[in-house]
Short mmCIF file of all heavy atoms in Angstrom, two decimals:
data_model
loop_
_atom_site.label_atom_id
_atom_site.label_comp_id
_atom_site.label_asym_id
_atom_site.label_seq_id
_atom_site.Cartn_x
_atom_site.Cartn_y
_atom_site.Cartn_z
N SER A 20 -52.46 -186.58 164.45
CA SER A 20 -52.58 -185.12 164.33
C SER A 20 -52.72 -184.50 165.72
O SER A 20 -52.73 -183.28 165.84
CB SER A 20 -53.85 -184.79 163.51
OG SER A 20 -53.71 -185.32 162.21
N GLY A 21 -52.88 -185.30 166.75
CA GLY A 21 -52.96 -184.80 168.11
C GLY A 21 -54.26 -184.08 168.46
O GLY A 21 -54.27 -183.14 169.24
N ILE A 22 -55.38 -184.47 167.80
CA ILE A 22 -56.58 -183.88 168.14
C ILE A 22 -57.63 -184.92 168.69
O ILE A 22 -57.47 -186.11 168.37
CB ILE A 22 -57.24 -183.14 166.94
CG1 ILE A 22 -57.64 -184.12 165.85
CG2 ILE A 22 -56.36 -182.05 166.41
CD1 ILE A 22 -58.42 -183.49 164.71
N THR A 23 -58.54 -184.52 169.52
CA THR A 23 -59.47 -185.45 170.05
C THR A 23 -60.77 -185.42 169.28
O THR A 23 -60.97 -184.54 168.40
CB THR A 23 -59.82 -185.05 171.53
OG1 THR A 23 -60.52 -183.73 171.48
CG2 THR A 23 -58.55 -184.91 172.34
N ASP A 24 -61.69 -186.33 169.60
CA ASP A 24 -62.99 -186.32 168.92
C ASP A 24 -63.71 -184.99 169.14
O ASP A 24 -64.38 -184.51 168.25
CB ASP A 24 -63.84 -187.52 169.43
CG ASP A 24 -63.31 -188.85 168.97
OD1 ASP A 24 -62.57 -188.87 167.97
OD2 ASP A 24 -63.61 -189.87 169.60
N GLY A 25 -63.55 -184.49 170.35
CA GLY A 25 -64.20 -183.17 170.67
C GLY A 25 -63.67 -182.07 169.77
O GLY A 25 -64.40 -181.22 169.29
N ASP A 26 -62.33 -182.11 169.57
CA ASP A 26 -61.67 -181.07 168.70
C ASP A 26 -62.24 -181.20 167.30
O ASP A 26 -62.46 -180.23 166.62
CB ASP A 26 -60.19 -181.23 168.74
CG ASP A 26 -59.58 -180.83 170.07
OD1 ASP A 26 -60.13 -179.91 170.72
OD2 ASP A 26 -58.61 -181.49 170.51
N ALA A 27 -62.32 -182.44 166.83
CA ALA A 27 -62.79 -182.67 165.46
C ALA A 27 -64.18 -182.15 165.27
O ALA A 27 -64.51 -181.54 164.25
CB ALA A 27 -62.70 -184.16 165.11
N THR A 28 -65.07 -182.40 166.25
CA THR A 28 -66.46 -181.91 166.18
C THR A 28 -66.45 -180.36 166.15
O THR A 28 -67.14 -179.72 165.35
CB THR A 28 -67.25 -182.40 167.37
OG1 THR A 28 -67.27 -183.81 167.38
CG2 THR A 28 -68.68 -181.88 167.28
N ARG A 29 -65.61 -179.75 166.99
CA ARG A 29 -65.55 -178.25 167.04
C ARG A 29 -65.08 -177.70 165.73
O ARG A 29 -65.66 -176.72 165.22
CB ARG A 29 -64.62 -177.85 168.14
CG ARG A 29 -64.45 -176.33 168.26
CD ARG A 29 -63.53 -175.96 169.39
NE ARG A 29 -62.22 -176.63 169.25
CZ ARG A 29 -61.24 -176.17 168.46
NH1 ARG A 29 -61.48 -175.10 167.71
NH2 ARG A 29 -60.12 -176.78 168.42
N LEU A 30 -64.04 -178.36 165.14
CA LEU A 30 -63.53 -177.82 163.86
C LEU A 30 -64.60 -177.91 162.72
O LEU A 30 -64.67 -177.01 161.90
CB LEU A 30 -62.23 -178.62 163.45
CG LEU A 30 -61.05 -178.37 164.29
CD1 LEU A 30 -59.91 -179.29 163.86
CD2 LEU A 30 -60.61 -176.93 164.21
N ARG A 31 -65.42 -178.97 162.77
CA ARG A 31 -66.38 -179.12 161.71
C ARG A 31 -67.49 -178.12 161.82
O ARG A 31 -68.22 -177.87 160.86
CB ARG A 31 -66.90 -180.56 161.71
CG ARG A 31 -65.96 -181.57 161.09
CD ARG A 31 -66.67 -182.88 160.82
NE ARG A 31 -66.84 -183.62 162.03
CZ ARG A 31 -65.97 -184.50 162.48
NH1 ARG A 31 -64.82 -184.69 161.86
NH2 ARG A 31 -66.17 -185.17 163.64
N THR A 32 -67.67 -177.49 163.00
CA THR A 32 -68.74 -176.51 163.17
C THR A 32 -68.29 -175.09 162.81
O THR A 32 -69.09 -174.20 162.69
CB THR A 32 -69.24 -176.49 164.63
OG1 THR A 32 -68.17 -176.09 165.49
CG2 THR A 32 -69.74 -177.84 165.03
N VAL A 33 -66.98 -174.91 162.55
CA VAL A 33 -66.48 -173.58 162.23
C VAL A 33 -66.88 -173.31 160.77
O VAL A 33 -66.98 -174.12 159.89
CB VAL A 33 -64.94 -173.56 162.29
CG1 VAL A 33 -64.39 -172.20 161.86
CG2 VAL A 33 -64.52 -173.82 163.73
N LYS A 34 -67.16 -172.00 160.51
CA LYS A 34 -67.55 -171.55 159.15
C LYS A 34 -66.55 -172.05 158.10
O LYS A 34 -65.35 -171.88 158.26
CB LYS A 34 -67.64 -170.07 159.10
CG LYS A 34 -68.24 -169.47 157.85
CD LYS A 34 -68.37 -167.94 157.96
CE LYS A 34 -68.98 -167.31 156.76
NZ LYS A 34 -69.08 -165.89 156.92
N THR A 35 -67.02 -172.71 157.09
CA THR A 35 -66.13 -173.35 156.13
C THR A 35 -65.51 -172.35 155.17
O THR A 35 -66.13 -171.36 154.80
CB THR A 35 -66.86 -174.46 155.32
OG1 THR A 35 -65.96 -174.98 154.32
CG2 THR A 35 -68.08 -173.88 154.66
N VAL A 36 -64.27 -172.61 154.77
CA VAL A 36 -63.54 -171.78 153.83
C VAL A 36 -64.12 -171.93 152.42
O VAL A 36 -63.80 -171.14 151.58
CB VAL A 36 -62.02 -172.10 153.87
CG1 VAL A 36 -61.76 -173.37 153.12
CG2 VAL A 36 -61.28 -170.97 153.26
N ARG A 37 -64.93 -172.87 152.23
CA ARG A 37 -65.45 -173.11 150.84
C ARG A 37 -66.33 -171.94 150.37
O ARG A 37 -66.72 -171.88 149.23
CB ARG A 37 -66.19 -174.44 150.76
CG ARG A 37 -65.23 -175.60 150.70
CD ARG A 37 -65.85 -176.83 150.03
NE ARG A 37 -64.87 -177.87 149.88
CZ ARG A 37 -64.57 -178.78 150.77
NH1 ARG A 37 -65.13 -178.74 151.93
NH2 ARG A 37 -63.64 -179.68 150.56
N GLU A 38 -66.71 -171.02 151.28
CA GLU A 38 -67.46 -169.84 150.85
C GLU A 38 -66.56 -168.93 150.03
O GLU A 38 -67.01 -168.03 149.35
CB GLU A 38 -68.03 -169.13 152.08
CG GLU A 38 -69.11 -169.87 152.81
CD GLU A 38 -69.69 -169.13 153.94
OE1 GLU A 38 -69.31 -167.96 154.12
OE2 GLU A 38 -70.53 -169.68 154.65
N LYS A 39 -65.28 -169.15 150.14
CA LYS A 39 -64.32 -168.41 149.36
C LYS A 39 -63.89 -169.36 148.21
O LYS A 39 -63.60 -170.54 148.48
CB LYS A 39 -63.10 -168.01 150.19
CG LYS A 39 -62.12 -167.09 149.48
CD LYS A 39 -61.03 -166.69 150.44
CE LYS A 39 -60.04 -165.76 149.81
NZ LYS A 39 -58.96 -165.35 150.76
N SER A 40 -63.85 -168.93 146.98
CA SER A 40 -63.60 -169.83 145.86
C SER A 40 -62.18 -170.40 145.95
O SER A 40 -61.27 -169.70 146.41
CB SER A 40 -63.77 -169.11 144.52
OG SER A 40 -62.68 -168.27 144.26
N ILE A 41 -62.06 -171.62 145.53
CA ILE A 41 -60.74 -172.26 145.49
C ILE A 41 -59.78 -171.46 144.63
O ILE A 41 -58.62 -171.36 144.94
CB ILE A 41 -60.89 -173.76 144.96
CG1 ILE A 41 -61.78 -174.55 145.92
CG2 ILE A 41 -59.52 -174.37 144.79
CD1 ILE A 41 -61.23 -174.69 147.29
N LYS A 42 -60.25 -170.93 143.52
CA LYS A 42 -59.38 -170.13 142.68
C LYS A 42 -58.78 -168.92 143.39
O LYS A 42 -57.63 -168.60 143.21
CB LYS A 42 -60.16 -169.67 141.42
CG LYS A 42 -60.47 -170.79 140.43
CD LYS A 42 -61.14 -170.24 139.16
CE LYS A 42 -61.41 -171.34 138.18
NZ LYS A 42 -62.08 -170.81 136.95
N GLU A 43 -59.61 -168.27 144.24
CA GLU A 43 -59.12 -167.12 145.01
C GLU A 43 -58.02 -167.54 146.00
O GLU A 43 -57.03 -166.89 146.14
CB GLU A 43 -60.28 -166.51 145.75
CG GLU A 43 -61.21 -165.66 144.90
CD GLU A 43 -62.31 -165.08 145.73
OE1 GLU A 43 -63.13 -165.79 146.35
OE2 GLU A 43 -62.39 -163.79 145.80
N ILE A 44 -58.25 -168.67 146.65
CA ILE A 44 -57.30 -169.18 147.61
C ILE A 44 -55.98 -169.52 146.95
O ILE A 44 -54.92 -169.15 147.39
CB ILE A 44 -57.88 -170.41 148.33
CG1 ILE A 44 -59.07 -170.04 149.18
CG2 ILE A 44 -56.80 -171.01 149.26
CD1 ILE A 44 -59.83 -171.21 149.74
N VAL A 45 -56.05 -170.25 145.80
CA VAL A 45 -54.87 -170.65 145.10
C VAL A 45 -54.10 -169.43 144.56
O VAL A 45 -52.89 -169.36 144.65
CB VAL A 45 -55.19 -171.64 143.93
CG1 VAL A 45 -54.00 -171.91 143.10
CG2 VAL A 45 -55.76 -172.91 144.52
N ALA A 46 -54.86 -168.47 144.09
CA ALA A 46 -54.20 -167.19 143.54
C ALA A 46 -53.48 -166.52 144.60
O ALA A 46 -52.33 -166.06 144.42
CB ALA A 46 -55.25 -166.32 142.93
N ALA A 47 -54.03 -166.39 145.78
CA ALA A 47 -53.38 -165.72 146.91
C ALA A 47 -52.12 -166.50 147.39
O ALA A 47 -51.07 -165.93 147.70
CB ALA A 47 -54.37 -165.56 148.09
N ALA A 48 -52.31 -167.82 147.39
CA ALA A 48 -51.16 -168.63 147.88
C ALA A 48 -50.00 -168.60 146.92
O ALA A 48 -48.84 -168.79 147.38
CB ALA A 48 -51.63 -170.10 148.07
N GLU A 49 -50.23 -168.39 145.66
CA GLU A 49 -49.15 -168.37 144.66
C GLU A 49 -48.22 -167.25 144.89
O GLU A 49 -47.12 -167.22 144.35
CB GLU A 49 -49.73 -168.37 143.23
CG GLU A 49 -50.32 -169.72 142.84
CD GLU A 49 -50.94 -169.70 141.46
OE1 GLU A 49 -51.17 -168.60 140.90
OE2 GLU A 49 -51.21 -170.80 140.91
N LEU A 50 -48.61 -166.28 145.68
CA LEU A 50 -47.67 -165.17 146.02
C LEU A 50 -46.50 -165.71 146.83
O LEU A 50 -45.47 -165.11 146.88
CB LEU A 50 -48.40 -164.10 146.83
CG LEU A 50 -49.50 -163.33 146.08
CD1 LEU A 50 -50.24 -162.37 147.04
CD2 LEU A 50 -48.95 -162.55 144.94
N ASN A 51 -46.69 -166.86 147.48
CA ASN A 51 -45.64 -167.48 148.25
C ASN A 51 -44.91 -168.52 147.50
O ASN A 51 -44.19 -169.39 148.13
CB ASN A 51 -46.27 -168.05 149.56
CG ASN A 51 -46.94 -166.98 150.41
OD1 ASN A 51 -46.35 -165.92 150.63
ND2 ASN A 51 -48.08 -167.29 150.94
N LEU A 52 -45.05 -168.57 146.18
CA LEU A 52 -44.43 -169.58 145.37
C LEU A 52 -42.92 -169.70 145.57
O LEU A 52 -42.37 -170.80 145.64
CB LEU A 52 -44.73 -169.37 143.90
CG LEU A 52 -44.14 -170.37 142.89
CD1 LEU A 52 -44.73 -171.81 143.23
CD2 LEU A 52 -44.47 -169.97 141.46
N SER A 53 -42.25 -168.56 145.70
CA SER A 53 -40.79 -168.57 145.86
C SER A 53 -40.42 -169.22 147.17
O SER A 53 -39.42 -169.98 147.27
CB SER A 53 -40.19 -167.16 145.83
OG SER A 53 -40.71 -166.37 146.87
N LEU A 54 -41.18 -169.01 148.23
CA LEU A 54 -40.93 -169.67 149.53
C LEU A 54 -41.18 -171.15 149.45
O LEU A 54 -40.40 -171.97 150.00
CB LEU A 54 -41.81 -169.09 150.62
CG LEU A 54 -41.62 -167.58 150.98
CD1 LEU A 54 -42.62 -167.17 152.03
CD2 LEU A 54 -40.16 -167.37 151.48
N GLU A 55 -42.19 -171.52 148.72
CA GLU A 55 -42.53 -172.95 148.57
C GLU A 55 -41.37 -173.67 147.85
O GLU A 55 -40.99 -174.78 148.22
CB GLU A 55 -43.86 -173.12 147.82
CG GLU A 55 -45.04 -172.53 148.59
CD GLU A 55 -46.29 -172.42 147.69
OE1 GLU A 55 -46.22 -172.69 146.47
OE2 GLU A 55 -47.30 -171.97 148.26
N ARG A 56 -40.91 -173.05 146.77
CA ARG A 56 -39.84 -173.66 145.98
C ARG A 56 -38.52 -173.71 146.81
O ARG A 56 -37.76 -174.64 146.66
CB ARG A 56 -39.63 -172.87 144.68
CG ARG A 56 -40.73 -173.12 143.67
CD ARG A 56 -40.94 -174.55 143.34
NE ARG A 56 -41.90 -174.75 142.31
CZ ARG A 56 -41.67 -175.30 141.11
NH1 ARG A 56 -40.43 -175.70 140.84
NH2 ARG A 56 -42.63 -175.49 140.26
N GLN A 57 -38.37 -172.70 147.64
CA GLN A 57 -37.14 -172.75 148.50
C GLN A 57 -37.22 -173.91 149.45
O GLN A 57 -36.19 -174.64 149.61
CB GLN A 57 -37.07 -171.45 149.34
CG GLN A 57 -35.92 -171.38 150.30
CD GLN A 57 -35.92 -170.18 151.19
OE1 GLN A 57 -36.70 -169.23 150.98
NE2 GLN A 57 -35.11 -170.19 152.24
N ALA A 58 -38.36 -174.18 150.04
CA ALA A 58 -38.53 -175.34 150.92
C ALA A 58 -38.37 -176.59 150.16
O ALA A 58 -37.70 -177.55 150.64
CB ALA A 58 -39.90 -175.26 151.63
N PHE A 59 -38.89 -176.67 148.99
CA PHE A 59 -38.84 -177.90 148.15
C PHE A 59 -37.37 -178.18 147.78
O PHE A 59 -36.92 -179.36 147.86
CB PHE A 59 -39.66 -177.69 146.91
CG PHE A 59 -39.82 -178.92 146.09
CD1 PHE A 59 -40.74 -179.93 146.45
CD2 PHE A 59 -39.13 -179.11 144.90
CE1 PHE A 59 -40.88 -181.09 145.68
CE2 PHE A 59 -39.31 -180.23 144.13
CZ PHE A 59 -40.18 -181.23 144.50
N ASP A 60 -36.64 -177.15 147.42
CA ASP A 60 -35.20 -177.34 147.10
C ASP A 60 -34.39 -177.80 148.30
O ASP A 60 -33.51 -178.66 148.12
CB ASP A 60 -34.62 -176.04 146.55
CG ASP A 60 -35.15 -175.67 145.17
OD1 ASP A 60 -35.69 -176.57 144.50
OD2 ASP A 60 -35.03 -174.48 144.73
N LEU A 61 -34.68 -177.24 149.45
CA LEU A 61 -33.98 -177.69 150.65
C LEU A 61 -34.19 -179.18 150.96
O LEU A 61 -33.29 -179.88 151.38
CB LEU A 61 -34.40 -176.84 151.82
CG LEU A 61 -33.91 -175.38 151.90
CD1 LEU A 61 -34.57 -174.62 153.03
CD2 LEU A 61 -32.40 -175.33 152.03
N ILE A 62 -35.45 -179.60 150.70
CA ILE A 62 -35.75 -181.04 150.97
C ILE A 62 -35.00 -181.89 149.93
O ILE A 62 -34.46 -182.95 150.31
CB ILE A 62 -37.28 -181.25 150.90
CG1 ILE A 62 -37.91 -180.54 152.14
CG2 ILE A 62 -37.63 -182.70 150.82
CD1 ILE A 62 -39.41 -180.39 152.01
#
């Protein structure tokens, strides 16, 4: 992934996204469903 131990420690100290519900995240991401399917079809 190209990150160092220091980077990993820094990332773990950042405010976690889990304060936002998984359902909210998935609902927002589904707006990009057509783009996702386009990428999937190309593959």
Side-chain angles (χ1 to χ4, degrees):
S20 299
I22 65 173
T23 66
D24 290 339
D26 290 326
T28 300
R29 176 179 58 79
L30 290 175
R31 281 192 285 270
T32 63
V33 178
K34 190 175 181 181
T35 176
V36 76
R37 285 204 172 86
E38 292 183 4
K39 187 176 182 181
S40 76
I41 297 299
K42 287 185 178 180
E43 286 180 298
I44 295 171
V45 172
E49 284 179 346
L50 294 175
N51 297 316
L52 181 60
S53 62
L54 295 176
E55 295 166 358
R56 288 303 185 118
Q57 179 187 346
F59 189 76
D60 290 343
L61 288 173
I62 290 165

